[in-house]
Amino acid sequence: LYAWAAAALSALAPDVVTLLAPPSFHRAIGVIPAVATAYALRELAEYFRNGLLVGRDARAVAYVEPALALVDLALGVALVSRFGLTGAVIAAPLVFGLYALAMHRAARAVLPLRYEYGRMAACAGVAVVLGAVGFVIHTGHAALDVGLKLALIGGYPAVLLAFVLRDDEERALVASARRWLRARVGR
């Protein structure tokens, strides 16, 4: 869901900022995809962090989070002070990506669960592609642009169902949802 939200924010950023903000804020359009991606990565880290809490071993949190704060500070000094907004666009997803990796590593030590990395990467990859394509769509007609972007982002679940979510349990869940919808629509 966070990948989908990041894709939607990235795709719609040019239209929403242009519509709602004065021209002095239009420079923010290029920052939104990085910030949305950073927050999606942060939530992935929280997913793994919660595993540590469920496993009742929060020691890694006590080490990782202060270390990450130092990394964030160092990147701020190194990138933001030198490259400004471009440095921030690079630093934010990098910091939260490192946070997700560190929390994942710690969670694996406490709760040795099987993660489906290929499927996680596919979900993220589809979101990145949809967000990037939506970000660059510009037909010259604002309403058409927004409609195309909404259709593109709205297709995210369908793409996942068609190409990523393919095991028997997921197929049964989709079939059950279809039956439920047919029963409701048929009334």
Side-chain angles (χ1 to χ4, degrees):
L1 289 174
Y2 281 102
W4 191 13
L9 287 170
S10 299
L12 294 167
D15 305 291
V16 172
V17 173
T18 301
L19 178 68
L20 298 177
S24 59
F25 285 89
H26 291 184
R27 220 177 104 178
I29 291 170
V31 175
I32 292 171
V35 172
T37 300
Y39 275 101
L41 289 168
R42 181 192 179 283
E43 292 309 313
L44 179 62
E46 288 299 311
Y47 171 79
F48 294 124
R49 182 180 185 269
N50 289 338
L52 291 168
L53 300 177
V54 167
R56 297 183 180 185
D57 190 354
R59 288 175 294 178
V61 175
Y63 296 116
V64 169
E65 290 184 353
L68 190 69
L70 293 174
V71 169
D72 191 23
L73 183 63
L75 285 174
V77 169
L79 296 175
V80 178
S81 66
R82 184 165 181 201
F83 302 107
L85 190 58
T86 302
V89 166
I90 295 167
L94 184 58
V95 165
F96 287 115
L98 291 171
Y99 183 38
L101 287 173
M103 286 292 114
H104 168 263
R105 182 179 169 103
R108 292 270 313 189
V110 173
L111 295 170
L113 301 174
R114 184 179 73 94
Y115 296 101
E116 297 188 28
Y117 300 108
R119 289 163 49 110
M120 291 169 64
C123 290
V126 169
V128 167
V129 168
L130 293 177
V133 169
F135 188 81
V136 299
I137 288 176
H138 182 70
T139 65
H141 302 286
L144 179 60
D145 288 353
V146 170
L148 289 171
K149 292 173 183 189
L150 288 173
L152 187 70
I153 296 306
Y156 181 75
V159 171
L160 293 186
L161 288 172
F163 300 108
V164 179
L165 305 177
R166 308 286 297 178
D167 72 15
D168 292 337
E169 189 174 316
E170 290 159 344
R171 286 185 184 138
L173 180 64
V174 170
S176 173
R178 283 183 187 148
R179 284 191 301 276
W180 182 86
L181 282 172
R182 284 185 190 132
R184 300 301 179 265
V185 173
R187 287 185 186 180

